[in-house]
Amino acid sequence: MTPVPAAGGTRPPAAPKSRKSVTGTRRTVAALFLLPALILLGALVVYPIGYSVVRSFYDQSGDGFAGIDNYKALFTDEGIRTALKNNIIWVVFAPTVATALGLIFAVLTERVRWGTAFKLVVFMPMAISMLAAGIIFRLVYDQDPDKGVANAVWVGVHDTFSQASAFPKAHPGRNSPLEPAGGGAFITTSPVRTGEPVSLPLVGVAPDMMPDGAKAAAEPEPEPDKVTGTTWQDFTRGKGVGTLNSVDTAELGYPGMKIEAVKDGRVVASATAAGDGTFTLPASADGAQLRLPASNFKEPYNGLDWLGPSLVTPAIIGSYIWMWAGFAMVLIAAGLAGIPRELLEAARVDGASEWQVFRRVTVPLLAPVLAVVAVTLMINVLKIFDLVFIIAPGSSQDDANVLALELYRKGFSEDQPGIASAISVFLLLLVIPVMWFNVRRLRREVRR
């Protein structure tokens, strides 16, 4: 029955309703279930943040109030300024390149037969820890081409176009007819004549470093109207063995050694030594001095100093991209799978090229996913620590410094907890706007 209104047209007061959550659970019960999580959140997140904020205003001992001095140090301390500059480089380049590579991989793997296997390989680095990745890339970037993969590849490509000399340590010995000519070259002390054999002895090349084409050195045979000679390793193992400036049976020639005949500073003839070190010059070399150009003694190319002061930060960023490009690829591929194929086909039917479809249709539709990936990686690189700490050697760690590493060094190595707390608060302030942007975007996506 419908209740009868009371006199005066007013209804009796409604009975109080039980306050329940949307799931039907009483709010007090829900709060009890959430209490352990709230306690842990407060103990592990809220309290440390609050303590760091308070501690950042105190001096090294923690007893004296320092005001904003610790925050001033963020912009005056040389190490922190370097770390801040490197963090800017990280935030600009690492998320951008990782997201771009993820986009390219996600789009291309849709069109290849072994796309799933490729995605698995690209994503696999995410399965290892930052510590393990740091150790791997410390070896990859080793300066020695026999150990470091990066320099092995780089040196191989370089030597394909610019062959190194086989005699980088060669030089004249005692009482040699050769003298320095400047710039690493050597030249005979007196002019040569046709019909008179010339000896060009050198020392300094280790026996196991001699070229494969080296043969037993041979005495030069005189030829009329020609200048002949021999260039060889004038050294025989054993004490008192061999004759100085004379070819001995156990000594090897210098194959490939270049010889130039120089008159009045001009090259009039040139030759290349055979396997036994012998060479022949035409009659135009008569009266010239013989020069061994500096190219014969060029030091072998040893690659790039990947972990040196100038390249250490880009090198570490490269290792980070190796790890996180797979993460970006998987998220973007998931977004790509949700794009209606009718839109892509309609663009192709209208005459758009594949590049135009990608640029005008695919990328705009993937913009929300790309933004989430980029922002997530930005948050991640702001607190990067492991890779920098492991990969950068002690000699260039200052040049590769980032804020998280500087926080560790100030707090534990240099015993400056006040400045370390200020750095942590500063990092939190940098992360908050990025997180806020991400949350707003996610809320907009939910409303749609």
Side-chain angles (χ1 to χ4, degrees):
M1 294 177 61
T2 305
V4 180
T10 59
R11 292 179 179 272
K17 293 183 179 180
S18 175
R19 302 182 66 184
K20 293 184 178 182
S21 66
V22 292
T23 60
T25 307
R26 292 181 180 276
R27 294 189 179 183
T28 53
V29 176
L32 288 174
F33 277 104
L34 290 174
L35 187 60
L38 293 174
I39 292 174
L40 286 176
L41 186 66
L44 300 179
V45 178
V46 178
Y47 172 73
I49 290 175
Y51 181 81
S52 296
V53 172
V54 173
R55 188 66 182 83
S56 66
F57 291 102
Y58 284 82
D59 59 15
Q60 181 175 335
S61 65
D63 299 326
F65 186 74
I68 61 171
D69 291 346
N70 292 327
Y71 289 94
K72 288 181 180 178
L74 299 180
F75 305 99
T76 56
D77 184 276
E78 190 64 31
I80 301 177
R81 288 170 62 184
T82 301
L84 184 58
K85 180 194 72 174
N86 287 336
N87 262 100
I88 294 172
I89 295 173
W90 272 89
V91 169
V92 171
F93 290 101
T96 304
V97 177
T99 304
L101 283 177
L103 175 62
I104 293 170
F105 291 156
V107 172
L108 293 182
T109 49
E110 278 204 330
R111 297 176 172 271
V112 297
R113 184 177 180 182
W114 301 100
T116 303
F118 180 81
K119 288 179 182 178
L120 179 64
V121 172
V122 175
F123 187 74
M124 198 176 295
M126 285 291 298
I128 64 175
S129 66
M130 287 278 197
L131 176 65
I135 295 172
I136 291 170
F137 275 89
R138 182 68 179 268
L139 296 175
V140 167
Y141 291 133
D142 195 287
Q143 179 68 37
D144 187 354
D146 294 332
K147 298 178 182 178
V149 176
N151 263 344
V153 173
W154 192 265
V155 170
V157 173
H158 175 274
D159 288 349
T160 301
F161 301 98
S162 178
Q163 190 64 35
S165 167
F167 320 106
K169 303 294 183 182
H171 61 275
R174 291 181 293 116
N175 303 323
S176 174
L178 293 166
E179 63 181 6
F186 301 102
I187 196 168
T188 55
T189 55
S190 57
V192 297
R193 298 295 176 188
T194 55
E196 300 178 3
V198 182
S199 296
L200 302 178
L202 294 167
V203 295
V205 180
D208 58 341
M209 298 300 293
M210 290 293 288
D212 294 336
K215 301 177 181 178
E219 289 281 0
E221 296 292 336
E223 293 186 29
D225 300 326
K226 290 185 179 180
V227 174
T228 59
T230 300
T231 176
W232 80 101
Q233 173 87 343
D234 189 22
F235 176 79
T236 305
R237 286 184 174 180
K239 187 176 181 180
V241 179
T243 304
L244 188 66
N245 295 333
S246 177
V247 176
D248 295 303
T249 55
E251 295 170 349
L252 298 175
Y254 278 158
M257 181 73 76
K258 295 176 182 176
I259 300 97
E260 298 174 342
V262 181
K263 285 183 180 179
D264 301 323
R266 185 169 56 90
V267 177
V268 295
S270 62
T272 301
D276 58 3
T278 57
F279 60 88
T280 303
L281 291 165
S284 58
D286 184 59
Q289 290 178 282
L290 299 188
R291 181 175 66 188
L292 303 179
S295 59
N296 289 316
F297 314 105
K298 185 173 62 175
E299 290 286 342
Y301 182 66
N302 205 36
L304 296 175
D305 187 8
W306 295 100
L307 299 182
S310 57
L311 290 178
V312 63
T313 295
I316 300 173
I317 291 176
S319 66
Y320 177 88
I321 292 170
W322 175 78
M323 288 192 68
W324 287 87
F327 166 81
M329 177 195 67
V330 169
L331 292 188
I332 295 170
L336 194 61
I339 294 179
R341 299 299 163 183
E342 297 80 5
L343 296 177
L344 304 179
E345 293 303 325
R348 294 187 181 103
V349 170
D350 289 342
S353 64
E354 289 299 322
W355 169 246
Q356 289 174 324
V357 171
F358 173 75
R359 188 165 58 92
R360 299 289 181 86
V361 181
T362 304
V363 172
L365 291 175
L366 284 175
V369 178
L370 295 176
V372 169
V373 171
V375 170
T376 303
L377 293 179
M378 283 181 186
I379 296 172
N380 188 267
V381 299
L382 279 173
K383 53 193 176 81
I384 192 72
F385 167 80
D386 317 61
L387 288 178
V388 181
F389 184 72
I390 298 298
I391 296 177
S395 58
S396 59
Q397 199 169 82
D398 288 342
D399 300 284
N401 200 10
V402 290
L403 287 175
L405 177 59
E406 186 64 16
L407 187 157
Y408 168 81
R409 293 167 72 174
K410 293 294 185 187
F412 297 97
S413 300
E414 301 177 19
D415 193 24
Q416 299 184 42
I419 295 180
S421 298
I423 295 174
S424 66
V425 173
F426 183 64
L427 271 175
L428 178 64
L429 294 176
L430 291 178
V431 169
I432 285 175
V434 183
M435 292 180 64
W436 176 77
F437 172 81
N438 216 12
V439 170
R440 283 196 61 189
R441 176 170 286 280
L442 289 173
R443 284 180 176 174
R444 284 202 301 268
E445 290 299 317
V446 170
R447 291 195 205 102
R448 290 178 185 175

